[in-house]
Amino acid sequence: MKNDTTNEITNEKIDAIKAKSLEIGVPIITDETREVLAETLEKIKPLKILEIGGGIGYSGAVILSSCTAHLTTIEIDADRFKLLKANLPNAKVIFGDALDEMQRLISVGEKFDFIFLDGAKAQYNNYFPFIDALLLPTGVLFADNIDFHGMASGELTPTKGAKTIIKGLQNFKENLIKNANYKTQYIKKGDGILIARKKVLGVELLAPAGNYARFKTALHFGADAVYMGGKQFGLRAGGDNFTESELKKAVNEAHKLGKKVYITVNIFARNADFYDIKQYLINLDKIGVDAIIVSDLGVLRLAKQLTNLEVHISTQANVLNKYTAETYANLGATRIVLARECSLAEIKEICDYLKGRCEIEVFIQGAMCVSYSGRCLLSNYICSRESNRGMCAQPCRFSYTIKTADAEMPIEEDERGTYILNSRDLCLAHYIGQLAEAGVKSFKIEGRNKSENYVAGAVGAYRRIMNGEIVDADAELSKISHRPYTTGFAFNDDNKQFIETAGATSTHDIVASILKTTQDIATVVHKNKFSVGDTLEILSPTEAHGKSFIVEKIINELGEQVDCAKKVKEVVKINCPFKLKKGDILIRATEPK
């Protein structure tokens, strides 16, 4: 459930709770911990938070002031509980033992995407199995007091009991860092902080590729599988697409890396198409593609009769319910790409009903069609280009006015008309944990006609989230080409249209891709003009991602030092203090307009 309410917690209230805590001797988080906590919450934007050890509400107030999540907090001390409840009226405040209450929450199916642990330090190791059960995939455990020293003011050594707690916290830290299901970072601030994010395991990250360069980029930045189209029978007829020899090369390269390739054969086929489709399917089978994506029942039938290809049902088939999904599974489909119009609850119900008989794939990022799953005839009618045969002219992105017999009437007071059919772009970066928990087995990124920069940015951001990194997804995904984002139908977002303009924006442009780096020099392929003095940012699947440097020198192909690189595809050398890999990308912030 998406929470759009604002938690009304002022700085004055936080300060008052802090002062009262200090007055009555209730331990609170340090200012450094508060800063790290607020930064983490701002990046990941959780929906549901569990706090273990509420005190009288200081850390809870910090949490609620930093995000719009629903907070549940547990406190065992009766006196503190009364003040906690009064200080956090918008939170769900539970009185009881944390172990007992976590077991109860598990028994009723509760899940959280953020758990703040700051109480009963001796119990951290005992708490963890229950925390693990309560955390969604991509969920974050934020544990404070890891560096507890066990000494009161004036004491030189910890007591025997404190030594036991210190040893237990050290074991907790070491075990969490070693836990392969989490990516854990230790931050030596405040009283010592552990931030552990649960990885998304067993779910595929599926990327688009409109040409071979984007295919390579998708693999480089962490896609598990890539979907693409041949020169015919797909829904991106205007794209570069792949020749049969390119398809074979891509399949071989992907398989060497343990990755998969799916081919779109998802046009709404006519009788005349089927002779060529038959041979095309046979050829795809020989090439060894891992699956085809179809929307037409006739194509599905032929694929099962003539080949050993796995068949995925396209979103164009408009699957919205469990019975249709079951029917496709009975016909031999191994995966269904659900319609974008499905809610999270409907997705979960479909997954539960199928019980693994057929995998479910959903879109998590990219452009959305204003019509039901792309079933649109506007392009046919206005531009004589058949949208369901791969030639959509996207008239939903045009500006419109209302015209009567006497005059044209702008729908809004704008000389361009208005973009009444223009959909926002989908972005579910903050919610893929809920989708994984629902049973989804493949996360799909839209964009076979999008740029290399788009593929790198989108795939890279989702890969890092799935790998358990703390990612500022809003900032990362604003760098790629996009319209304003929406969560679409999955979380009942009412704000799906953007009528001001149809144009996509981005905060950064690609300027070069890396060929190699040696001794602080990067050899790059020029993509867009850049100059000495520009600050370039790195896109990479390595730890160099997000780092930046200033261009101090550019050497062209003739060995001459120049002030700017402006020849497209020219190979130049520039200074670079980081060791980068072939395929990494350099981007630059766009100039304000």
Side-chain angles (χ1 to χ4, degrees):
M1 178 174 61
K2 190 176 180 184
N3 180 20
D4 292 318
T5 62
T6 301
N7 293 306
E8 297 178 359
I9 302 290
T10 63
N11 286 330
E12 290 77 10
K13 183 167 186 177
I14 293 173
D15 290 342
I17 299 173
K18 179 179 181 179
K20 184 65 176 178
S21 299
L22 296 174
E23 177 190 332
I24 63 176
V26 176
I28 59 172
I29 60 175
T30 68
D31 290 343
E32 282 189 321
T33 300
R34 173 180 174 176
E35 182 180 342
V36 175
L37 176 61
E39 288 176 356
T40 305
L41 291 168
E42 175 60 28
K43 287 179 180 178
I44 67 171
K45 292 181 170 55
L47 295 179
K48 292 178 66 178
I49 297 175
L50 174 64
E51 180 187 28
I52 302 170
I56 67 168
Y58 177 63
S59 52
V62 170
I63 288 169
L64 291 175
S65 70
S66 304
C67 63
T68 58
H70 296 282
L71 174 65
T72 299
T73 181
I74 302 171
E75 178 53 53
I76 195 170
D77 183 278
D79 293 331
R80 292 180 184 180
F81 173 77
K82 291 176 184 177
L83 291 172
L84 177 62
K85 197 167 185 179
N87 287 330
L88 302 179
N90 291 332
K92 181 180 180 181
V93 181
I94 299 174
F95 176 69
D97 176 77
L99 280 172
D100 293 339
E101 293 305 322
M102 282 193 284
Q103 290 184 66
R104 185 186 61 79
L105 290 170
I106 292 169
S107 71
V108 296
E110 284 279 15
K111 290 285 183 177
F112 299 88
D113 41 15
F114 193 93
I115 294 181
F116 179 69
L117 177 58
D118 185 32
K121 293 175 284 296
Q123 295 290 332
Y124 278 22
N125 286 298
N126 294 329
Y127 286 163
F128 183 72
F130 302 99
I131 290 171
D132 184 51
L134 287 166
L135 269 179
L136 287 164
T138 74
V140 171
L141 168 61
F142 189 108
D144 191 27
N145 273 311
I146 299 302
D147 292 337
F148 170 72
H149 55 71
M151 293 178 288
S153 178
E155 293 182 346
L156 298 178
T157 58
T159 64
K160 184 177 179 180
K163 288 181 180 179
T164 302
I165 294 174
I166 293 169
K167 185 176 180 181
L169 288 170
Q170 185 63 32
N171 288 338
F172 176 75
K173 174 183 172 182
E174 291 173 357
N175 290 337
L176 197 49
I177 290 173
K178 292 177 183 176
N179 193 321
N181 294 333
Y182 287 79
K183 187 173 181 65
T184 303
Q185 57 177 313
Y186 164 69
I187 301 175
K188 194 172 179 59
K189 287 186 176 182
D191 295 320
I193 302 165
L194 278 181
I195 302 177
R197 191 168 204 181
K198 198 172 189 177
K199 298 177 183 178
V200 179
L201 302 174
V203 181
E204 174 187 88
L205 180 59
L206 177 57
N211 59 30
Y212 206 82
R214 293 171 212 159
F215 164 76
K216 296 273 287 183
T217 297
L219 296 184
H220 180 70
F221 281 87
D224 298 305
V226 182
Y227 68 102
M228 58 186 70
K231 292 294 185 180
Q232 50 188 342
F233 308 127
L235 287 181
R236 293 293 184 273
D240 293 343
N241 294 315
F242 291 71
T243 64
E244 193 168 312
S245 63
E246 287 175 328
L247 288 177
K248 185 175 183 179
K249 181 181 176 184
V251 169
N252 290 338
E253 185 166 350
H255 287 177
K256 286 178 183 177
L257 297 172
K259 303 191 177 190
K260 296 182 178 182
V261 172
Y262 309 140
I263 307 301
T264 56
V265 192
N266 55 344
I267 63 164
F268 286 5
R270 298 179 180 274
N271 291 331
D273 295 317
F274 276 90
Y275 176 80
D276 289 334
I277 285 178
K278 289 178 183 179
Q279 190 57 50
Y280 185 57
L281 294 176
I282 292 169
N283 291 345
L284 291 179
D285 195 16
K286 289 179 181 178
I287 287 171
V289 303
D290 296 282
I292 57 171
I293 303 169
V294 310
S295 59
D296 188 280
L297 282 169
V299 178
L300 168 61
R301 175 185 169 187
L302 280 183
K304 301 309 292 183
Q305 286 178 343
L306 301 176
T307 76
N308 294 310
L309 291 166
E310 288 195 12
V311 178
H312 298 176
I313 302 303
S314 170
T315 190
Q316 297 290 122
N318 205 55
V319 178
L320 287 159
N321 64 76
K322 58 191 178 185
Y323 301 113
T324 301
E326 182 182 42
T327 299
Y328 278 116
N330 291 340
L331 289 172
T334 56
R335 180 183 293 180
I336 296 167
V337 189
L338 293 183
R340 290 177 177 86
E341 291 78 19
C342 287
S343 68
L344 178 65
E346 289 170 328
I347 293 169
K348 184 180 186 324
E349 186 175 355
I350 291 169
C351 291
D352 290 346
Y353 183 77
L354 290 175
K355 293 183 172 63
R357 287 176 289 168
C358 188
E359 292 182 342
I360 293 299
E361 176 179 305
V362 298
F363 280 94
I364 57 170
Q365 179 75 29
M368 295 199 299
C369 182
V370 70
S371 184
Y372 244 100
S373 295
R375 293 191 169 206
C376 178
L377 292 175
L378 272 180
S379 182
N380 304 51
Y381 181 75
I382 295 174
C383 308
S384 298
R385 290 172 57 178
E386 287 197 64
S387 56
N388 291 306
R389 292 177 65 81
M391 295 175 284
C392 183
Q394 297 195 34
C396 57
R397 310 294 184 190
F398 296 176
S399 60
Y400 288 93
T401 58
I402 297 175
K403 188 174 182 179
T404 67
D406 300 317
E408 289 187 358
M409 300 184 297
I411 300 171
E412 283 194 344
E413 291 187 8
D414 184 330
E415 68 277 6
R416 301 168 299 172
T418 189
Y419 300 87
I420 57 171
L421 300 178
N422 184 50
S423 171
R424 290 172 177 258
D425 281 5
L426 180 69
C427 180
L428 296 177
H430 296 300
Y431 312 109
I432 59 174
Q434 284 90 328
L435 293 170
E437 186 71 15
V440 172
K441 291 301 180 184
S442 180
F443 295 152
K444 188 170 195 172
I445 297 170
E446 180 275 339
R448 282 196 288 133
N449 280 352
K450 300 286 181 66
S451 70
E452 191 177 339
N453 183 34
Y454 172 92
V455 174
V459 173
Y462 280 99
R463 178 78 276 156
R464 292 194 302 281
I465 294 170
M466 293 172 71
N467 285 351
E469 294 185 32
I470 302 296
V471 175
D472 188 343
D474 292 347
E476 291 279 303
L477 294 170
S478 70
K479 295 174 184 176
I480 63 175
S481 178
H482 70 286
R483 299 173 186 88
Y485 285 128
T486 176
T487 59
F489 296 87
F491 291 89
N492 300 315
D493 189 347
D494 293 329
N495 195 19
K496 302 183 188 74
Q497 288 177 284
F498 188 66
I499 64 173
E500 285 80 4
T501 178
T505 61
S506 64
T507 62
H508 290 67
D509 289 328
I510 184 172
V511 296
S513 60
I514 301 294
L515 291 178
K516 64 179 180 178
T517 56
T518 54
Q519 297 180 339
D520 296 332
I521 296 294
T523 304
V524 307
V525 178
H526 169 269
K527 301 284 186 179
N528 277 303
K529 179 182 176 182
F530 65 92
S531 305
V532 170
D534 285 349
T535 298
L536 305 185
E537 183 180 330
I538 298 165
L539 296 186
S540 174
T542 72
E543 292 183 356
H545 177 82
K547 293 182 168 59
S548 61
F549 63 95
I550 296 173
V551 179
E552 297 172 352
K553 63 179 177 180
I554 304 172
I555 300 172
N556 67 15
E557 291 174 322
L558 301 176
E560 302 167 336
Q561 192 159 328
V562 295
D563 291 332
C564 68
K566 55 186 178 181
K567 184 179 177 182
V568 177
K569 294 186 178 181
E570 181 181 17
V571 176
V572 300
K573 294 180 179 180
I574 62 174
N575 62 288
C576 178
F578 305 102
K579 186 171 179 59
L580 304 181
K581 290 185 173 183
K582 182 178 180 181
D584 289 352
I585 285 173
L586 300 178
I587 60 175
R588 180 189 56 204
T590 55
E591 295 179 3
K593 295 180 180 179

